[in-house]
């Protein structure tokens, strides 16, 4: 098929492609889009004869040509070296009408629905408005998306989206948030350890290292936690064990070796974690009828007040240190001292039932309130101030005693 040539205009050859069939025609270099649509229908008379029932689109170099445009398709004074290929997209109007008349599947969600669901589901692990701290937080969360978890035909391991949700749950855990705020921590990335091709983990295994469930890179620049079991079976590693691993790696922000100083710091952080959940439970905070301690799997460790928390942490740390040959007596004073500081500040679990909430009333995570009948903010500030003064006085006393001992040793 050829458009009648013009004596004054140069000609070029173009190629139409429709459902595997091709047609070549010769057109003027100044041909318009509307003329190409007419030429296309004439070239494919059998396929596009009924213009009322068939709609077409012409695509040139990834762009749809306008069927009503009268301007030149090709740049002036430039003759394309290869033959331009124009793809023809054909649509039957009957098919379009049938598709539009169908009801949408209620089980299929569009992108707008997914975005709305994401907004509604955000921060609901620990109740409404339970996000990370504004200043002390994990800046970035990264799941292991390169292993196609959830798409493998012979495994039941959760999708990487579920892994991201689990990382969000860890980062917004009230106990983890309390640790991050207390120690003013900022971690650039909290990631999922690759359970299949993690060469750093394999290297540590060859070296005989004990910390195989997570690792800390550059003292908190990045922390990776192993979420999935070795067999990649259903579900993740139990949540309470993941929390222990995360606190363990956070302790490596200060101490690299697994010595007494490291375990003392880890034990104090565990006390802070359990104390936070126990305080929320005592304050009457519930999420869908459950305490945050129950959701975190530590309800048994939190029941019984500060004394029980201290005893449980000592047992846990003693078990962990046994493989390193460190006696519990080396870290017990530091753990007991952290519990004593909570008590000195008036921040016992029992008192927390009245003081949590930051005012004269306590609001639980289900929207209920109850009145604070045992003092207000002024009393709490006085308790905190007196505890700080006592700690400062004790530190000055220790410093003076050490100075006197050094002078005595020098004289001797």
């Amino acid at each position: 098929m050829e458009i009648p040539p013009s004596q004054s205009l140069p000609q070029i050859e173009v190629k139409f492609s429709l459902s595997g069939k091709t047609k070549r025609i010769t057109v003027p270099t100044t041909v318009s889009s509307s003329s190409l649509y007419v030429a296309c229908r004439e070239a494919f008379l059998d396929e596009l004869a009924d213009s009322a029932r068939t709609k077409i689109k012409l695509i040139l170099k990834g762009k749809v040509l306008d069927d009503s445009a009268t301007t030149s398709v090709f740049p002036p004074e430039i003759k394309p070296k290869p033959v331009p290929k124009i793809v023809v997209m054909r649509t039957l109007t009957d098919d379009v009408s049938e598709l539009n008349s169908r009801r949408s599947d209620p089980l299929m969600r569009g992108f707008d629905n997914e975005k709305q669901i994401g907004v509604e589901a955000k921060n609901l692990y620990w109740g409404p408005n339970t996000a990370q701290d504004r200043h002390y937080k994990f800046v970035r969360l990264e799941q292991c998306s390169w292993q196609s978890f959830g798409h493998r035909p012979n495994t039941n391991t959760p999708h990487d989206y579920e892994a991201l949700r689990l990382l969000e749950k860890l980062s917004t855990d009230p106990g983890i948030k309390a640790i991050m705020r207390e120690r003013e921590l900022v971690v650039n990335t909290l990631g999922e350890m690759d359970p299949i091709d993690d060469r750093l983990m394999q290297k540590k295994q060859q070296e005989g290292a004990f910390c195989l469930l997570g690792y800390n890179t550059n003292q908190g620049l990045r922390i990776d936690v192993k979420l999935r079991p070795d067999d990649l079976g259903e579900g993740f590693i139990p949540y309470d064990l993941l929390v222990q691993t995360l606190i363990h790696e956070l302790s490596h922000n200060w101490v690299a070796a697994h010595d007494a100083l490291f375990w003392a710091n880890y034990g104090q952080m565990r006390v802070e974690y359990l104390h936070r959940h126990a305080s929320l439970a005592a304050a009457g905070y519930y999420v869908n009828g459950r305490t945050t301690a129950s959701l975190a799997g530590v309800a048994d460790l939190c029941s019984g007040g500060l004394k029980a928390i201290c005893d449980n942490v000592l047992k846990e740390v003693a078990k962990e240190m046994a493989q390193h040959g460190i006696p519990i007596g080396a870290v017990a004073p530091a753990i007991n001292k952290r519990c004593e500081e909570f008590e000195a500040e008036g921040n016992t679990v029992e008192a927390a039932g009245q003081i949590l909430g930051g005012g004269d009333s306590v609001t639980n995570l289900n929207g209920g309130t109850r009145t604070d009948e045992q003092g207000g903010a002024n009393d709490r500030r006085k308790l905190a101030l007196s505890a700080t003064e006592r700690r400062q006085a004790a530190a000055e006393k220790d410093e003076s005693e050490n100075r006197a001992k050094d002078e005595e040793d020098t004289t001797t």
Side-chain angles (χ1 to χ4, degrees):
M1 173 66 188
E2 295 184 359
I3 294 180
S6 172
Q7 299 296 329
S8 59
L9 295 177
Q11 306 291 308
I12 61 171
E13 187 180 30
V14 297
K15 179 173 64 176
F16 291 112
S17 176
L18 171 64
S19 302
K21 298 180 180 180
T22 59
K23 299 285 186 176
R24 292 173 177 261
I25 66 171
T26 302
V27 297
T29 55
T30 58
V31 65
S32 63
S33 299
S34 57
S35 299
L36 285 176
Y37 272 89
V38 174
C40 178
R41 288 191 177 275
E42 293 179 355
F44 294 99
L45 285 175
D46 296 335
E47 294 84 355
L48 306 176
D50 191 351
S51 59
R53 296 182 60 251
T54 306
K55 293 183 178 180
I56 61 172
K57 290 183 179 179
L58 301 185
I59 302 175
L60 175 63
K61 295 183 178 181
K63 295 183 178 181
V64 178
L65 301 180
D66 186 358
D67 59 354
S68 61
T70 57
T71 56
S72 176
V73 175
F74 304 103
E77 300 179 358
I78 297 179
K79 182 178 180 181
K81 293 183 179 179
V83 177
K85 180 181 178 180
I86 302 176
V87 179
V88 183
M89 302 293 293
R90 175 180 57 180
T91 305
L92 297 177
T93 56
D94 294 342
D95 295 341
V96 175
S97 301
E98 181 183 358
L99 182 62
N100 292 335
S101 64
R102 293 178 181 177
R103 293 182 59 185
S104 60
D105 189 346
L107 299 179
M108 298 294 290
R109 296 194 296 260
F111 293 111
D112 293 337
N113 298 110
E114 291 290 343
K115 292 179 181 179
Q116 183 63 28
I117 291 174
V119 172
E120 294 174 354
K122 188 178 181 181
N123 299 332
L124 295 183
Y125 308 105
W126 310 103
N129 303 320
T130 308
Q132 292 195 71
D133 186 87
R134 182 178 179 182
H135 302 289
Y136 310 114
K137 59 184 179 179
F138 301 95
V139 178
R140 181 169 173 258
L141 305 177
E142 182 181 70
Q143 76 277 28
C144 182
S145 58
W146 52 89
Q147 291 291 2
S148 301
F149 290 129
H151 300 286
R152 296 171 177 264
N154 299 324
T155 61
N156 296 321
T157 189
H159 197 281
D160 56 0
Y161 291 152
E162 297 298 326
L164 179 59
R165 294 189 181 100
L166 183 54
L167 292 174
E168 291 174 349
K169 182 178 180 180
L170 283 167
S171 65
T172 57
D173 187 313
I176 297 297
K177 288 167 55 181
I179 292 173
M180 302 287 283
R181 280 195 297 262
E182 175 69 22
R183 295 156 191 274
E184 300 183 354
L185 295 177
V186 177
V187 176
N188 185 61
T189 303
L190 174 61
E192 177 190 3
M193 180 188 293
D194 186 344
I196 296 179
D197 185 23
D198 196 307
R199 301 185 182 183
L200 181 57
M201 180 180 68
Q202 295 171 3
K203 180 181 178 181
K204 289 190 175 186
Q205 287 176 335
Q206 294 173 358
E207 295 173 352
F210 295 99
C211 182
L212 302 178
L213 298 178
Y215 48 79
N216 184 316
T217 304
N218 291 343
Q219 294 183 312
L221 179 65
R222 179 186 178 96
I223 290 178
D224 290 272
V225 177
K226 185 177 181 180
L227 304 182
R228 306 172 193 269
D230 291 331
D231 60 358
L232 297 181
E234 295 184 7
F236 296 104
I237 293 174
Y239 181 79
D240 57 329
L241 297 181
L242 296 178
V243 169
Q244 291 183 36
T245 301
L246 179 55
I247 297 176
H248 182 113
E249 299 309 325
L250 287 172
S251 186
H252 279 304
N253 280 21
W254 293 274
V255 187
H258 293 98
D259 55 13
L261 181 59
F262 169 86
W263 290 109
N265 187 50
Y266 170 80
Q268 289 183 339
M269 295 168 76
R270 281 293 287 171
V271 168
E272 294 165 10
Y273 179 84
L274 296 177
H275 178 268
R276 179 56 179 166
H277 280 291
S279 301
L280 288 173
Y285 277 65
Y286 290 88
V287 182
N288 297 326
R290 299 176 62 186
T291 64
T292 60
S294 176
L295 293 173
V298 294
D300 294 340
L301 301 177
C302 294
S303 60
L306 266 175
K307 179 66 169 60
I309 290 176
C310 187
D311 292 341
N312 290 327
V313 172
L314 286 172
K315 292 178 182 177
E316 176 186 315
V317 174
K319 183 179 179 181
E320 294 289 338
M321 292 194 310
Q323 57 186 334
H324 299 279
I326 303 174
I328 187 60
V331 301
I335 296 175
N336 289 325
K337 182 179 180 181
R338 189 68 185 104
C339 294
E340 292 170 0
E341 289 176 351
F342 277 125
E343 188 173 5
E345 294 171 2
N347 204 2
T348 62
V349 172
E350 292 77 7
Q354 282 74 39
I355 67 173
L356 283 178
D360 294 335
S361 63
V362 178
T363 304
N364 63 33
L365 297 182
N366 291 328
T369 59
R370 63 190 184 87
T371 305
D372 180 355
E373 298 176 353
Q374 298 187 6
N378 292 332
D379 294 335
R380 297 196 295 276
R381 281 193 288 269
K382 290 179 181 178
L383 289 171
L385 180 60
S386 61
T388 303
E389 292 174 348
R390 285 195 298 271
R391 286 198 299 271
Q392 185 176 359
E396 292 175 353
K397 181 180 178 181
D398 293 341
E399 184 179 357
S400 61
E401 291 177 353
N402 292 334
R403 189 183 302 110
K405 185 177 180 181
D406 293 340
E407 292 176 356
E408 183 179 352
D409 294 341
T410 302
T411 303
T412 304

